[in-house]
Amino acid sequence: MSEEILPRIREEIAALPPYRQGKQAGADAFKLSSNENPFEPLPSVVAALTAGAPINRYPDATAGALRARLGERYGVAPDAVHVASGSVAILYQLVAAAATVGDEVVYAWRSFEAYPGLPLVAGATGVQVPLTADSRHDLDAMAAAITERTRVVIVCTPNNPTGPIVTSAEFAAFVAQVPRDVLIVLDEAYAEFVTAPDAVDGLAERVFETHPNVVVLRTFSKAYGLAGLRIGYAIGHPRVLDAARTTAIPLSVTAAAEGAAIASLDAEDELRARVAVIVERRAELVAGLRAQGWDVPDAQGNFVWLPTGDATADVAAAFEDAGLIVRAFPGDGIRISVGEAESLPRVLAVAAAQR
Ligand SMILES: *Cc1c(COP(=O)(O)O)cnc(C)c1O
């Protein structure tokens, strides 16, 4: 039998395992592995899905209605808003636009599992800067890691998967240290869940106006519960966002997603009430886990972090046996999303048994 010949693939791509999604939950299991919103979509949002443009037609390539709406809301021109099929898409667009072979992309580690793929796909080099002992960004070390090859620095707040925020003061001091020609991406996917009063808020503080190298990312996937529709946005300098528009795959934001996002902004109060419920559940989980002796870092997103270290695989198996799908990072820890009310006592029971 002759060896099958396949097309040549770039070595650094072929060396990696392909993306595999976390396990799908069985009938009576809770899926707490992807930081999704546990609530059913609002009827008004479902109605917007079917009221959108006909599906035999292409969508508005610029998502103009949503960009106008977001521009109004944040007091910026529509050109200072960029919409894509999830904020992960915008991360790829920005890194592809700014970095190539020989360039560096700096980010904290452990952080969002999508970050290592960004420089890889662009042919650039990723530079990981370890978190502090309390699982926070070490912004001084990140600033020190910047060289003349650095093109992009990513700051994730609250940090996925560990939970803590970056403060306004820390971010301001960091931005002041970063060369003005290096792009800073402030990934605020969980901004709506933050309760820490000193947390940076890139949109409220309008950092992108004083520092045009800062782009703020937000998403409809988490607080707004639209993960399945794939829609997120960036706010920043129009010329920087033009670069993301150039590298974007055209027409990937559907009219259905755009319509649902606008309907969600119309229903903001109802959705914020749900976020408040998730924040209450988060406090309950953190308090319960800490009372059991777990060293849970400050949880400011819709998830909690268990630093399970070498026991990670065993503890994750115990959660799965109990019908709780969690996200395990072998050798490091376990991220558990704040989900349905009924999942909380189950999470706490399994965690207690693992102490
Ligand atoms: C979930 C998440 C995103 C957003 O993902 P979408 O592509 O908008 O669904 C971005 N950044 C981080 C850190 C996340 O956890």
Side-chain angles (χ1 to χ4, degrees):
M1 216 169 63
S2 68
E3 172 115 30
E4 189 178 21
I5 295 176
L6 293 172
R8 279 205 215 181
I9 301 295
R10 284 163 52 196
E11 258 170 48
E12 64 275 27
I13 304 287
L16 290 178
Y19 180 81
R20 303 247 187 260
Q21 194 167 30
K23 270 190 204 145
Q24 298 293 320
D28 65 341
F30 290 106
K31 182 166 179 262
L32 307 176
S33 53
S34 298
N35 296 346
E36 294 152 342
N37 193 310
F39 291 98
E40 296 281 314
L42 294 175
S44 62
V45 173
V46 175
L49 278 179
T50 47
I55 60 175
N56 56 319
R57 303 291 177 193
Y58 282 114
D60 167 12
T62 70
L66 178 57
R67 286 196 302 125
R69 178 67 184 270
L70 288 167
E72 223 170 84
R73 178 192 163 133
Y74 293 113
V76 298
D79 275 1
V81 184
H82 171 51
V83 171
S85 52
S87 53
V88 171
I90 305 177
L91 285 165
Y92 274 93
Q93 293 161 8
L94 288 169
V95 171
T100 186
V101 178
D103 298 333
E104 292 175 353
V105 177
V106 173
Y107 55 93
W109 199 251
R110 178 167 298 276
S111 190
F112 186 29
E113 35 318 5
Y115 295 157
L118 304 170
L120 180 91
V121 169
T125 304
V127 176
Q128 301 185 336
V129 178
L131 298 175
T132 62
D134 51 355
S135 301
R136 309 180 73 245
H137 275 54
D138 187 343
L139 290 174
D140 288 334
M142 288 177 73
I146 293 173
T147 70
E148 77 272 5
R149 291 184 296 279
T150 308
R151 294 292 174 271
V152 185
V153 186
I154 307 170
V155 174
C156 183
T157 176
N159 187 49
N160 174 8
T162 59
I165 49 106
V166 165
T167 69
S168 294
E170 287 166 343
F171 189 69
F174 176 72
V175 168
Q177 288 181 75
V178 175
R180 301 179 68 106
D181 62 354
V182 171
L183 174 63
I184 302 172
V185 180
L186 185 61
D187 187 345
E188 297 188 333
Y190 301 95
E192 297 84 358
F193 299 101
V194 170
T195 51
D198 56 348
V200 67
D201 179 327
L203 298 186
E205 294 171 37
R206 311 180 73 82
V207 194
F208 48 87
E209 284 181 349
T210 47
H211 294 84
N213 59 325
V214 174
V215 169
V216 181
L217 300 189
R218 295 281 179 98
T219 180
F220 285 98
S221 294
K222 311 285 168 45
Y224 293 87
L226 301 185
L229 287 174
R230 314 302 308 124
I231 188 157
Y233 60 98
I235 299 207
H237 192 286
R239 296 242 311 279
V240 178
L241 298 184
D242 281 345
R245 292 184 261 264
T246 299
T247 52
I249 295 172
L251 298 159
S252 15
V253 177
T254 64
E258 186 184 6
I262 292 171
S264 299
L265 293 170
D266 289 339
E268 184 110 47
D269 291 347
E270 278 172 277
L271 291 167
R272 290 279 175 164
R274 293 170 159 198
V275 166
V277 171
I278 294 169
V279 166
E280 273 171 37
R281 290 179 192 166
R282 175 182 79 195
E284 200 182 313
L285 264 183
V286 171
L289 292 166
R290 286 185 179 157
Q292 295 171 5
W294 290 99
D295 185 17
V296 180
D298 188 25
Q300 291 288 316
N302 63 344
F303 52 89
V304 298
W305 175 250
L306 289 186
T308 41
D310 292 339
T312 297
D314 292 342
V315 178
F319 278 109
E320 292 199 5
D321 289 346
L324 300 165
I325 314 296
V326 298
R327 183 62 63 96
F329 299 96
D332 200 353
I334 294 175
R335 189 192 67 201
I336 307 173
S337 306
V338 179
E340 292 79 356
E342 311 79 60
S343 70
L344 267 62
R346 257 156 91 174
V347 169
L348 289 171
V350 176
Q354 294 299 313
R355 286 301 301 164

